[in-house]
Amino acid sequence: MKKQKVIKNRSIFFLISFLFLTSLLSIKTLKKVDTQDIRISGSELFSENDVVKNSSLNFPIRLIFVETNLLEKELKQNLSLKNVSVNKELLPFGLKVNIDLRIPIAYGERILNDEKILGFIDKDGIFINKQNVDEKNLNKLTIQVFGWQEKFKKILSEIFIAMENYELEIVKITFSSDGFLTVEEKDLKTILLGFKPNLINYQLQIINNLKNEFEKNSFSKKLDNIDLTNPDKPKIKVFKP
């Protein structure tokens, strides 16, 4: 009988403890998150204020109402991040924001509202505003990209992949205002590629083949430009003696 009473008292104690903890956690979710309740990991480049300023959420905001998916999407877009995860936490209370920065591999320039904006480009062809780049990642950048637009991301990524796979040393990539693509290779000089992004991989293969062939006889020293707008009929212009 005594044993049953002890078991019963324990059950009541655990039930009360459970209800108390549940109530405490529920109260915590109704507490408002403010700037000081945000914890950032993964990078020291951004502050808690950057999270607040680059979100459409109105801080302070109750924890239960924080839309983590929306916040992640906005921070990734506005801060040019490779990835970001936001987690609600009760103990300690607040938001934990883990940031994964994009690594620049080229200098970049884009035109927005008739204004030139300087920044950087990563291997996926994404434009990174210069204030969103860690300066320690800027060593040894040798590529310049001019005329960046959102629609050119894929073609840029394919060019960067080709540079890894082949022995190409492309130092300048230029998109005109109407989308005409020109690249400059260290040995082959100016190469005209034109308006057809679907041809880029074929064109890059030809560039690689030409470079390998010209290196055998030092012909590249005579080059002025190469026209690959029609890759099946390359046109090579040389300096006149």
Side-chain angles (χ1 to χ4, degrees), residues 34-54 71 75 79 81 83-87 89 93-101:
D34 211 339
T35 308
Q36 67 270 15
D37 302 312
I38 299 172
R39 295 179 299 281
I40 298 175
S41 62
S43 173
E44 297 179 355
L45 186 62
F46 301 108
S47 69
E48 294 78 9
N49 284 324
D50 290 319
V51 172
V52 174
K53 287 189 295 185
N54 287 279
L71 184 53
L75 294 178
L79 299 178
L81 300 175
N83 200 13
V84 58
S85 62
V86 179
N87 295 303
E89 294 190 343
F93 174 80
L95 293 176
K96 185 174 181 181
V97 181
N98 185 62
I99 285 173
D100 187 7
L101 296 176

Side-chain angles (χ1 to χ4, degrees), residues 186-222:
K186 184 179 178 182
D187 296 318
L188 301 182
K189 311 300 187 295
T190 302
I191 306 169
L192 309 177
L193 298 177
F195 295 105
K196 298 178 180 178
N198 57 306
L199 295 178
I200 188 61
N201 286 315
Y202 182 34
Q203 290 169 321
L204 290 166
Q205 289 175 16
I206 293 173
I207 293 171
N208 184 59
N209 293 339
L210 288 174
K211 179 164 182 174
N212 291 336
E213 191 63 32
F214 291 166
E215 281 182 347
K216 296 176 183 177
N217 52 30
S218 300
F219 184 77
S220 60
K221 295 179 181 180
K222 305 174 185 178

Side-chain angles (χ1 to χ4, degrees), residues 37 72 95 111 124 168 207-208 211 223 226 233 235:
D37 302 312
E72 288 171 352
L95 293 176
I111 306 296
D124 297 319
L168 299 179
I207 293 171
N208 184 59
K211 179 164 182 174
L223 287 173
I226 300 172
K233 296 181 179 180
K235 298 176 182 178

Side-chain angles (χ1 to χ4, degrees), residues 60-82:
I61 181 173
R62 298 190 189 281
L63 183 64
I64 196 172
F65 295 139
V66 175
E67 299 178 62
T68 54
N69 288 339
L70 173 62
L71 184 53
E72 288 171 352
K73 183 179 179 180
E74 290 179 332
L75 294 178
K76 185 175 181 179
Q77 177 69 33
N78 296 337
L79 299 178
S80 309
L81 300 175
K82 183 176 182 180

Side-chain angles (χ1 to χ4, degrees), residues 21-32 90 93:
L21 181 59
T22 303
S23 299
L24 181 63
L25 294 178
S26 298
I27 292 171
K28 280 272 191 180
T29 62
L30 294 175
K31 185 178 175 182
K32 288 187 175 182
L90 297 177
F93 174 80

